Amino acid sequence: MTEEAIARLRWQDPTTRTTREYVLLEGATATIGRASNNDIAIPDQHVSRNHAVIRYRDGIFLIADLNSSNGTFVNDTRITEPFPLFAGDVIRLFVPTIEFLSAEAEHLLNATQAGTVLRPTQADGQAMLLVTSGAQEGQTIPLLLDTVTIGRATSSATWEVLLQDASVSRPHARLTREGGRWAIVDLNSSNGTRVNAIEVKGTPHWLNDGDTLELGNAMLVFRLGL
């Protein structure tokens, strides 16, 4: 199957001052932040360790802020929920900027040679949660069981994932794997569960790579196939 380049991300490395460029294929996810474990690491003091995520849904790329300290801006407007990106948009991480551009075959060829192509993840890979805010920011939690319950960290907690956040209930939500896919359901929490800024209630909500999960004030990114 022929790979198709959908978009490019271009920015200046704040350390070397060289221009860097990544190509995004259809379905790709890109985490952006200061920490080296991001798909795009930008070592700048104004950038949070886990600052933003770009994900592909229904034919377009959207960017979401991950409760960063200084905010994420698109064309100088601060975003507060997932925001669609179009060719020519400028993403600003308070100070550093990233250009969101269209991509052609030649860009894909160059990126392939440079090893800077971001591809969709594999559904049969190891799913995990990336904590992007609070005391556990940067922590990666592998989902090793078919059922994983998330709740506040307490001395009597019996759930698998413990979050050190007073806004998280005891317990708060449950993740389940069915037929190779993951879903989340809220467990009647006090402060609610949101996926991509939309509250989910009652029935399980299916998850995709790059989805943002908000449990109370705690934010996590669901990664699939890393």
Side-chain angles (χ1 to χ4, degrees), residues 45-221:
Q45 62 179 344
H46 302 97
V47 178
S48 293
R49 283 181 291 179
N50 302 103
H51 198 109
V53 61
I54 295 175
R55 56 189 177 83
Y56 187 84
R57 294 292 178 273
D58 301 323
I60 61 173
F61 283 102
L62 300 100
I63 186 169
D65 183 76
L66 298 177
N67 282 347
S68 65
S69 298
N70 295 316
T72 300
F73 301 76
V74 177
N75 302 326
D76 284 330
T77 298
R78 187 167 186 167
I79 63 171
T80 57
E81 57 186 29
F83 192 87
L85 292 170
F86 299 97
D89 283 347
V90 177
I91 302 164
R92 182 163 58 85
L93 311 178
F94 194 66
V95 173
T97 59
I98 302 173
E99 296 175 273
F100 183 83
L101 306 167
S102 60
E104 306 295 340
E106 62 181 291
H107 301 124
L108 177 57
L109 176 61
N110 294 336
T112 300
Q113 294 172 344
T116 55
V117 179
L118 294 179
R119 295 178 168 85
T121 54
Q122 299 299 314
D124 59 352
Q126 174 64 67
M128 60 187 65
L129 298 174
L130 174 64
V131 184
T132 67
S133 64
Q136 295 160 273
E137 181 185 358
Q139 181 177 340
T140 299
I141 304 169
L143 302 178
L144 302 176
L145 304 174
D146 288 339
T147 299
V148 177
T149 303
I150 308 171
R152 190 192 314 167
T154 66
S155 59
S156 59
T158 59
W159 29 95
E160 290 78 25
V161 177
L162 308 179
L163 296 180
Q164 299 171 24
D165 191 308
S167 68
V168 175
S169 293
R170 303 175 292 176
H172 195 108
R174 180 171 292 125
L175 290 164
T176 55
R177 178 169 53 191
E178 299 178 20
R181 295 193 64 190
W182 285 88
I184 189 169
V185 63
D186 183 77
L187 299 177
N188 294 319
S189 64
S190 297
N191 295 312
T193 299
R194 291 169 293 282
V195 177
N196 302 324
I198 298 174
E199 188 166 10
V200 295
K201 292 182 178 180
T203 59
H205 182 93
W206 293 107
L207 297 175
N208 295 293
D209 183 48
D211 282 348
T212 57
L213 312 181
E214 295 175 77
L215 283 66
N217 296 326
M219 179 170 277
L220 309 94
V221 175

